[in-house]
Every structure is written in C-alpha cells, then in structure tokens.
Amino acid sequence: MTHDAVVVGSGPNGLVAAVLLAQTGRRVLLLEAAGRFGGGLRSEELTLPGRVHDVGATVMAMALASPAFRDGLGGLAEVEFAHPPVAAAHPLDDRPAVLVHRDAGRTAEGLGRDAAVWRATVGAAARAGFPLVDLLLKPLGPWPADPRAFAAAARFATAAALPATTLGRRAFRTVEGRAVLAGMAAHSMLDLRAPITSGYGLLLAALAHLVGWPLAKGGSQAMADALVARFRALGGEAVTGHQVRSLKELDAPTIVLDVTPRQFLAMAELPPRYRRRLERFRYGPGVFKLDWALDGPVPWRDPAVAAAGTVHLGGTLEEIALSEAEMASGRHSPRPYVLLVQPYAADPTRGGHTLWAYCHVPNGSTVDMTGAIETQIERFAPGFRDRVLARHAMGPADLEAFDSNLVGGDIGGGLASLGQFVRRPVWSPSPWRTPLPGVFLCSASTPPGAAVHGMGGWQAARLAVRG
Ligand SMILES: Cc1cc2nc3c(=O)[nH]c(=O)nc-3n(C[C@H](O)[C@H](O)[C@H](O)COP(=O)(O)OP(=O)(O)OC[C@H]3O[C@@H](n4cnc5c(N)ncnc54)[C@H](O)[C@@H]3O)c2cc1C
C-alpha cells in the first residue's frame, strides 16, 4: 500500500478533500478521469483559438463565502477575483432593467415600492453575514457557537421556506421586485411553486451584497490549477486520464469519492439497504448550454445591463415561473428562463468577448435549444446574432461526456428539492460516510449540494481524519 488516501475526481469538492488530507501529512493520490483537473472548474477554448470559456462554473460568490475557501485553504490566495461593476441584471421588456449591486441600499433604491422588502429579506440576510452562510453551507453541523447565527437563520427561514411564487406575490409589489426574485430563485432549477425556492434566491442575492459575484481572472481553471499546485506542494500525487471503474482497483485505507450515487452504485458492492436508498436518489433537470465568441459586447437595449457579470433573461415572475413549471413537468419552454454570463464585464483577459448562457431542460433531453435561447437574448438585445463569430453547443449528453457527474445534464449533482437538501444522497447525520469502512462521498450529491464551495470535500475530509 503506497498511499494513505485516494481521492477520485478533481472537481472543487475532490480538490478540497485532497488538499485537506494532504495537509495532515497523509500520502494522498488524486485520480481524475478527464484530461484536465477541475471538473466544473475547467476552462477550454470552446469556440476560437485564444478564446477562454468556462465549461462549467464562472460566478464564484459561493466560493468566496464558503468556510472551505475563506480561511485561506488550498492556495486560492494566488487566484485573482474580478468583480463586474454590477453583480447581476434582469432586463424587462418595457422598462429599465433591475440591477443588483454590491451595495444593498443602492439595489433597494432601484426597486421603488419594493425597497423596504428587499432590505428586510435580502438585506437582512447579507447583514447576518458569514455566521448565517456557515449554517446554510453546514446544515448538519458542526454549528457555530454564536447563538445569533441561529436567530438569523430562523428569521431567514421564514421567507426562505416559501415557494418563490408565493413570496413574490405576497411580499413584493412591483413587476421589478417580483422578476428579480424569480430570476434569482430559478438558479435552483426547480418549479418556482416548490418550497425553499425563495431560499435559493434570497441567499444568492444576499451573497451579491456580502461578497459580490466575482469571476476568477483568466477563467475558473485558475482555481483548479491553484488547488492542484497546493496539493502537489503538500506532497500529493495527482494524475489525469485515470477513470476509476471499481473500488477494487484502489488500495488505501481512506477513499474519498467525488462522484454521484449512480457512479458509486456502478463501482462498489454495497449493502442492499444502502444500495436501495441510493437508487431512490433523484437527479434534477438538465441544461442546454451555449458558448459564443463575439466581435463585441452584447447590444443590450438597456445599456446598463452591459456592466453586469450575470444576466437573468425571461421577463416577469409569471413568465419565468411558467417556463420552469413546463421544464419540471418534462416539456421544453419556447420562451425559457435563460441564465447568461458575460465574463468580459469583469475580466478582459479571456481573449476577447466570450459569452455563455444556458436554459433548463428535462433530464436527458435531446432537444436543440439554440434557437429558443438566442431568441430570448434578441428580445432584450436586438442585433445580438450579428455579433456572433462562433458558437459551441452542449446538450445534456455532451455535458455528461465532459464530466460524468453531470448525469442527464444535471449540473447540480441531484435535485435540489427540500427533501434532498439534507437527504443527500441519504438521510443521515453524516451522509458523507458510506457503509464501506474508510469510504466517503464528497460530491455535490452530498450536503450542501451544488456550486463551487468545496464543502462536500471539507466534510468528507473532516470525517476521514476523525476516522
Ligand atoms: C454549465 C455549468 C455552470 C455552472 N455555473 C456555476 C457557477 O457559476 N457558480 C457555481 O458556484 N457553480 C456553478 N456550477 C456548479 C458547479 O460547477 C458544481 O456544483 C461543482 O463543480 C460540483 O463540484 P464537484 O466537485 O462535486 O463535482 P464536479 O465539479 O462535477 O467534478 C467531478 C470530477 O470527478 C471526475 N470523475 C467522476 N467520476 C470519476 C471516476 N470514476 N474516476 C475519476 N474521476 C472521476 C469528473 O471527471 C470531474 O472532474 C455550474 C456547473 C455547470 C456544469
């Protein structure tokens, strides 16, 4: 036995686990199936030579807020984060776009009659700060000693527990306020009539005020490269192009798997009861993603949108709720909610104007959504298509071929419903632990779920070290 621990998969969760285990002096081997490290942090020249595109994550709000990265773990201090002048924008057909600024007060002012409710919900969550974030990113503990964190969480939960459609219609009075809430909540990839969809929206908006919605300069790959460099500096051995098919291939007392339940089921002999519980795990919808190389910025009808890193397209709360409800019931919306990122608003080092956008589709969909996505962009930016030099499309099957954790195109590692927020992938006080001694799961299919926060890796490594 030459290693004390093997980590399978180098997404942000696998990388955090690998670094933390190596920090304890263990001899750690990191095995990655793809040709590059990073999983959802990979950047590639998807369109034209020299154009850097993030294949997965770009907006690093969760990373900056996460206890796994905040405390200087993993050498992320080497990575430069660039903030767009405006965190997010939500264009509307017949009126100015809603702008979400770093400053909560300035954002609230732009919401007119909804200023007070923005301050009381999003603003209050941002003011509660890291203690609240820590509770949400560590829903099963270890919990902070400060009782004020629990009081803030209880206040947050009152609104967060509601479906976004309910909170939007009950608490917000303006078209703008309702629309911006819906655009934020739709990141959850859930039907907006489902519980806790408000929670996703309120948290993401609060993070815009707390830490901003920045990008890693040069592409998200810079974060993966920094974590791998840190891991190697600690003596870790990291290998690409090595897909683990069976746990029998691995010879180490500790094994940490950055994989989802379906892959785990295929690679391990598991006790029947645990196997059945994993088989019940539900994947979420897929996405259809487009990357473009442009010859200039997107010609937004409202020029203020140009300053935003992220843009939510789809119009009013009613329209976005309808599009997400159609997707959740297995259909393809002709006017989908589109989540768009324009990295050049913050980072001029990506070889020119690159852009990406995706819409949600039923899991495993084979429908080409290029026309529907570009029509939504044209709706708010007439003349957009004339700026396109090259485009690259990825449907669910392409995404899964890129990273096998994206099952059926699900970029969240499993449905983000209330039930699967903590029953992830099984109901347990420590779901990162499996019934196999020394074997841990750490992917986004464990709490707290999707996004670049590394907390699955943090939890799995913590348990592995404790033994
Ligand atoms: C298009 C897209 C946009 C996104 N946008 C954002 C965003 O802006 N902000 C944000 O915070 N999050 C975003 N996300 C989500 C985020 O990227 C993921 O939640 C995060 O990467 C999950 O990390 P992970 O470590 O669990 O898994 P992954 O990042 O999926 O990594 C898993 C790794 O394990 C490897 N692997 C799997 N099986 C094996 C095996 N058997 N052997 C060896 N290696 C294996 C895979 O190749 C992959 O490299 C986005 C995701 C996508 C796809």
Side-chain angles (χ1 to χ4, degrees), residues 14-164:
L15 287 169
V16 166
V19 170
L20 283 179
L21 289 169
Q23 260 173 5
T24 65
R26 286 170 170 75
R27 291 163 302 164
V28 185
L29 173 64
L30 172 64
L31 297 174
E32 167 54 52
R36 290 180 91 163
F37 297 111
L41 290 173
R42 277 167 62 193
S43 308
E44 304 279 348
E45 290 181 357
L46 293 178
T47 55
L48 300 175
R51 300 273 182 150
V52 180
H53 298 268
D54 293 329
V55 187
T58 298
V59 180
M60 293 303 159
M62 281 288 192
L64 257 63
S66 170
F69 294 120
R70 225 167 58 214
D71 302 335
L73 174 80
L76 280 191
E78 308 294 315
V79 178
E80 201 178 322
F81 288 96
H83 288 266
V86 172
H90 192 121
L92 292 161
D93 284 321
D94 51 358
R95 54 190 83 205
V98 186
L99 303 180
V100 179
H101 300 276
R102 264 309 276 282
D103 184 64
R106 194 171 165 204
T107 307
E109 273 166 33
L111 287 173
R113 286 185 299 144
D114 279 330
V117 70
W118 187 268
R119 287 196 197 94
T121 52
V122 178
R127 283 193 301 280
F130 293 130
L132 173 63
V133 173
D134 288 0
L135 265 184
L136 296 172
L137 293 188
K138 290 188 274 179
L140 301 174
W143 289 317
D146 187 348
R148 280 174 303 183
F150 293 97
R155 281 193 300 275
F156 178 76
T158 318
L162 296 172

Side-chain angles (χ1 to χ4, degrees), residues 9 11-13 32-33 39-40 56-59 244 258 403-405 411 443-444 451-452:
N13 285 310
E32 167 54 52
T58 298
V59 180
V244 174
D258 189 4
D403 173 349
S404 57
N405 284 24
I411 67 169
S443 74
V452 178

Side-chain angles (χ1 to χ4, degrees), residues 195-223:
I196 73 166
T197 43
S198 290
Y200 289 106
L202 296 175
L203 175 64
L204 283 174
L207 290 181
H209 302 322
L210 185 64
V211 292
W213 280 19
L215 289 62
K217 203 163 172 203
S220 301
Q221 185 73 49
M223 293 172 68

Side-chain angles (χ1 to χ4, degrees), residues 305-390:
V305 180
T310 302
V311 185
H312 297 151
L313 301 172
T316 62
L317 175 143
E318 284 71 24
E319 283 179 272
I320 293 176
L322 177 64
S323 130
E324 295 306 89
E326 285 188 307
M327 171 277 297
S329 58
R331 294 192 296 275
H332 296 79
S333 170
R335 280 158 73 92
Y337 162 76
V338 172
L339 203 159
L340 179 146
V341 176
Q342 37 188 15
Y344 57 83
D347 180 13
T349 70
R350 298 185 179 207
H353 292 82
T354 64
L355 188 79
W356 69 249
Y358 64 63
C359 71
H360 302 147
V361 291
N363 191 284
S365 157
T366 54
V367 174
D368 184 343
M369 296 297 283
T370 305
I373 291 175
E374 292 194 347
T375 301
Q376 279 292 47
I377 302 175
E378 282 277 343
R379 173 177 164 194
F380 300 101
F384 160 73
R385 283 196 181 98
D386 299 337
R387 292 274 156 91
V388 176
L389 297 174

Side-chain angles (χ1 to χ4, degrees), residues 397-414:
D398 307 304
L399 285 161
E400 192 171 337
F402 162 78
D403 173 349
S404 57
N405 284 24
L406 309 180
V407 176
D410 175 5
I411 67 169

